[in-house]
Amino acid sequence: MKVGFVGLGHMGGAMAVNLKKAGHELTVYNRTRAKAERLGLKVANTPADAARDAEVVITMLADDDAVTEVVFGPSGLANTLRPGAIHLSMSTISVALSQQLAEEHSEHKQGYVAAPVFGRPQAAAEAKLFIVAAGEAGAVKKCEPLFAAMGQRTFPMGDVPVKANVVKLSGNFLIASVIETLGEALSLVRKYDVNPEKYVELLTSTLFAAPVYKTYADLIVKEQFEPAGFRLKLGLKDVRLAMAAAEAQAVPMPVASVIRDHALEGLANGMGDKDWSSLAQVVSNNAGLNGRS
Ligand code: NAP
């Protein structure tokens, strides 16, 4: 399939390479051109150029501002995407922007599928992402071979695109709450001189034997916050987006408010580009365990 791919960061770079490996014909664009050139793919000068001949154009960008610029900006892909071609939006973006994309693409007879992902850059590199997809059934079906090249399983959420976005945001809120509570629990046991490795082994081999606890407890105990798989800045963005979606439907999420403030505290202390597991370090610093998360 002819695929345009816009956004070759930690996630997008690996996803684009997997699409190419699966035999798709890729034209890629990245704001910082060097990141696109080192992948050995055909590089476009603008998002509009990446979308011009595409049957599907994928965006995997940092946030709402980036997606807005790349889609609706002067050299945005909405200008060139042909009627019937599909914008497959895989970034973690707001429910509000996803709704706007659905409406504007529909006005131009362009397809729109929201398909945010779960999984860190390593999962992206191994084509093991979990993909949450929603949009008009025919458009989602057309994207299935692309999902198969990038992920291990796709979870269809029906024909209303924003449903996929709200599922993704609620999931990231849950991951952030695991990091927060692991930070609190580890601070508590450390104050009593419990060995953190043994503590984590107990948890993750018994009641908490889930990937999210295993991955994040390991990063937190090893204080392996750099290089970041997912930056704290982006984690804060996602918690804010979950809170905005919640506010729009009058859903109180007090835990999200605590996490937002701790993430802000991390940013204020220069941790924005560290992995978001470093949220646990903010928590442990607050417990007087400076430098020990
Ligand atoms: P990243 O490494 O920071 O990459 C962000 C990408 O967005 C880069 O290609 C960047 O271009 C581009 N970008 C940022 N602002 C832009 C703008 N104004 N105009 C054009 N391009 C712009 O982020 P990532 O970790 O790959 O994450 C990408 C998306 O996936 C985010 O929505 C994130 O929430 C989501 N996600 C991430 C993970 C994870 O573990 N990393 C997991 C699941 C979902 P430059 O190269 O020029 O900066």
Side-chain angles (χ1 to χ4, degrees), residues 7-12 30-32 35 60-63 65-66 69-70 90-92 117-121 168 229-231 234 237-238:
L8 303 164
H10 288 101
M11 299 291 289
N30 196 61
R31 181 180 61 176
T32 308
K35 283 192 204 167
M60 191 55 174
L61 295 151
D63 54 20
D65 287 349
E69 173 68 25
V70 153
M90 302 190 77
S91 325
T92 307
V117 304
F118 288 103
R120 290 165 60 86
K168 170 62 189 167
F230 184 56
R231 292 181 292 135
L234 291 183
K237 170 213 53 156
D238 290 357

Side-chain angles (χ1 to χ4, degrees), residues 5 8-19 39 121 123-126 150:
F5 201 111
L8 303 164
H10 288 101
M11 299 291 289
M15 292 158 73
V17 167
N18 284 333
L19 288 168
L39 296 177
E126 293 167 359
M150 294 184 282

Side-chain angles (χ1 to χ4, degrees), residues 105-140:
H105 283 307
S106 164
E107 260 176 43
H108 294 90
K109 311 256 182 290
Q110 298 159 338
Y112 174 67
V113 173
V117 304
F118 288 103
R120 290 165 60 86
Q122 192 177 339
E126 293 167 359
K128 285 192 174 156
L129 294 170
F130 294 112
I131 299 170
V132 186
E136 186 269 315
V140 173

Side-chain angles (χ1 to χ4, degrees), residues 220-250:
I220 293 166
V221 167
K222 290 183 179 149
E223 299 186 359
Q224 204 176 304
F225 305 132
E226 285 169 303
F230 184 56
R231 292 181 292 135
L232 183 59
K233 264 182 204 163
L234 291 183
L236 172 60
K237 170 213 53 156
D238 290 357
V239 173
R240 279 192 179 128
L241 296 182
M243 290 172 77
E247 192 170 332
Q249 295 292 337

Side-chain angles (χ1 to χ4, degrees), residues 15-265:
M15 292 158 73
V17 167
N18 284 333
L19 288 168
K20 169 82 176 171
K21 274 191 206 155
H24 298 289
E25 203 180 313
L26 258 77
T27 305
V28 301
Y29 169 83
N30 196 61
R31 181 180 61 176
T32 308
R33 194 181 169 95
K35 283 192 204 167
E37 279 170 350
R38 70 179 175 222
L39 296 177
L41 301 168
K42 184 174 163 199
V43 181
N45 289 325
T46 62
D49 285 345
R52 202 175 299 280
D53 296 322
E55 294 161 74
V56 176
V57 64
I58 299 175
T59 48
M60 191 55 174
L61 295 151
D63 54 20
D64 276 27
D65 287 349
V67 174
T68 302
E69 173 68 25
V70 153
V71 177
F72 300 121
S75 47
L77 61 86
N79 299 312
T80 51
L81 191 64
R82 289 180 314 210
I86 297 163
H87 174 197
L88 174 56
S89 168
M90 302 190 77
S91 325
T92 307
I93 57 168
S94 69
V95 167
L97 178 58
S98 187
Q99 182 60 32
Q100 186 192 349
L101 288 165
E103 287 165 11
E104 302 225 5
H105 283 307
S106 164
E107 260 176 43
H108 294 90
K109 311 256 182 290
Q110 298 159 338
Y112 174 67
V113 173
V117 304
F118 288 103
R120 290 165 60 86
Q122 192 177 339
E126 293 167 359
K128 285 192 174 156
L129 294 170
F130 294 112
I131 299 170
V132 186
E136 186 269 315
V140 173
K141 190 159 183 48
K142 171 124 193 175
C143 295
E144 276 170 7
L146 307 179
F147 296 150
M150 294 184 282
Q152 58 176 302
R153 188 165 167 196
T154 302
F155 295 82
M157 287 291 152
D159 56 6
V160 178
V162 299
K163 288 190 185 179
N165 303 100
V166 81
V167 167
K168 170 62 189 167
L169 293 174
S170 69
N172 267 24
F173 158 69
L174 280 173
I175 301 171
S177 70
V178 166
I179 298 171
E180 167 75 29
T181 49
L182 273 173
E184 293 180 19
L186 275 161
S187 297
L188 173 62
V189 298
R190 275 181 152 147
K191 279 285 178 95
Y192 285 86
D193 266 340
V194 173
N195 178 303
E197 280 91 5
K198 281 191 183 159
Y199 176 69
V200 163
E201 191 195 342
L202 158 70
L203 294 180
T204 59
S205 61
T206 55
L207 295 181
F208 298 88
V212 69
Y213 280 102
K214 288 182 178 166
T215 301
Y216 286 102
D218 189 53
L219 290 172
I220 293 166
V221 167
K222 290 183 179 149
E223 299 186 359
Q224 204 176 304
F225 305 132
E226 285 169 303
F230 184 56
R231 292 181 292 135
L232 183 59
K233 264 182 204 163
L234 291 183
L236 172 60
K237 170 213 53 156
D238 290 357
V239 173
R240 279 192 179 128
L241 296 182
M243 290 172 77
E247 192 170 332
Q249 295 292 337
V251 180
M253 292 180 76
V255 174
S257 304
V258 170
I259 296 167
R260 194 258 331 258
D261 281 351
H262 284 162
L264 277 175
E265 204 175 326

